Amino acid sequence: MLELTGVDFGFAKGNLLFQGVSLTIREGEIVGLSGKSGTGKSTLGRIAAGHLNPVAGQVLLDGKALTPGYGAVQYVHQSSIFAVNPRWRLGQIISEAWQPDDVTLDAIGVSRTWFDRYPHEISGGELQRVVLARALSPQTRFLVADELSAMLDPITQVEIWSFLMKRRRLGLGILAISHDAALLKRVTSRQIELSMRRVQAVDG
């Protein structure tokens, strides 16, 4: 189980972006996180994945603090170009975490013919799929999907979320951050909204 308890965060001292945020994501659960731009959804996602440290509160995995390095909680942002080394070929980027099987690559839409290319040599949507493939190693128990499919065409969105929902049935927990209310309603187990520095459950 992934837990955030009493989390405060602010980029400027005395000016908190959010305060006292607590949420729980269980294995095999997709939790949707919505909210207006600027409320701190992406920041909260980075904290959940251990990329940022909260000012107060804690992030726990099975009751223990997250460990540094490649871990069980992975974060995928919609701007995937910032998540890769531009000097590495795509095959090296993916193998940084694991050697994905053909079933995973096919389901996400990643071609092995891309492996000798550099990030700038494929489209943003294709690079997003590469970053997702890297994040879904067998070690990954929770995925923070921050506007994961916003750059993808509708057909690819359906394919990727269908695959992730199959992974959910195998135990993958997902925090799905999105402005797309229809998407969150379709794929999530429950929804929360970040507003007025706090999270609250979304009805329906």
Side-chain angles (χ1 to χ4, degrees):
M1 184 165 62
L2 181 64
E3 298 175 88
L4 279 69
T5 59
V7 167
D8 296 356
F9 186 84
F11 291 103
K13 187 175 181 180
N15 186 17
L16 293 178
L17 187 59
F18 45 77
Q19 185 174 18
V21 169
S22 296
L23 65 92
T24 299
I25 307 170
R26 295 174 176 81
E27 290 181 321
E29 180 180 35
I30 303 180
V31 177
L33 175 60
S34 61
K36 294 181 180 179
S37 296
T39 54
K41 300 185 301 299
S42 293
T43 300
L44 186 61
R46 291 188 180 100
I47 290 173
H51 290 198
L52 288 174
N53 293 320
V55 173
Q58 54 187 343
V59 181
L60 303 174
L61 179 63
D62 298 334
K64 299 178 181 179
L66 295 179
T67 56
Y70 187 91
V73 185
Q74 290 295 303
Y75 176 85
V76 177
H77 190 272
Q78 71 177 97
S79 300
S80 51
I81 191 64
F82 299 115
V84 298
N85 187 330
R87 298 182 178 86
W88 284 12
R89 297 182 189 272
L90 298 175
Q92 184 180 4
I93 288 170
I94 291 179
S95 63
E96 182 181 15
W98 69 306
Q99 296 292 339
D101 55 83
D102 288 339
V103 172
T104 300
L105 293 178
D106 290 345
I108 297 174
V110 173
S111 171
R112 289 189 182 274
T113 62
W114 302 349
F115 280 23
D116 288 331
R117 301 182 191 178
Y118 291 96
H120 69 273
E121 295 179 321
I122 63 174
S123 71
E126 289 169 340
L127 185 58
Q128 182 74 332
R129 286 178 255 178
V130 169
V131 171
L132 177 60
R134 179 181 63 178
L136 290 177
S137 86
Q139 295 173 265
T140 302
R141 293 172 53 199
F142 293 92
L143 178 71
V144 179
D146 189 355
E147 297 287 2
L148 170 67
S149 55
M151 294 179 62
L152 305 176
D153 62 82
I155 293 176
T156 304
Q157 286 187 29
V158 171
E159 291 174 348
I160 285 180
W161 277 106
S162 294
F163 176 72
L164 290 177
M165 291 175 79
K166 290 179 183 177
R167 288 291 299 264
R168 175 193 64 79
R169 290 192 287 271
L170 296 175
L172 179 69
I174 302 174
L175 177 62
I177 303 171
S178 180
H179 287 101
D180 189 336
L183 172 68
L184 292 181
K185 185 176 181 179
R186 185 166 64 249
V187 305
T188 61
S189 313
R190 57 187 173 89
Q191 295 183 49
I192 55 177
E193 181 181 15
L194 183 56
S195 176
M196 303 297 290
R197 299 185 181 182
R198 299 186 181 276
V199 293
Q200 59 186 4
V202 175
D203 294 335

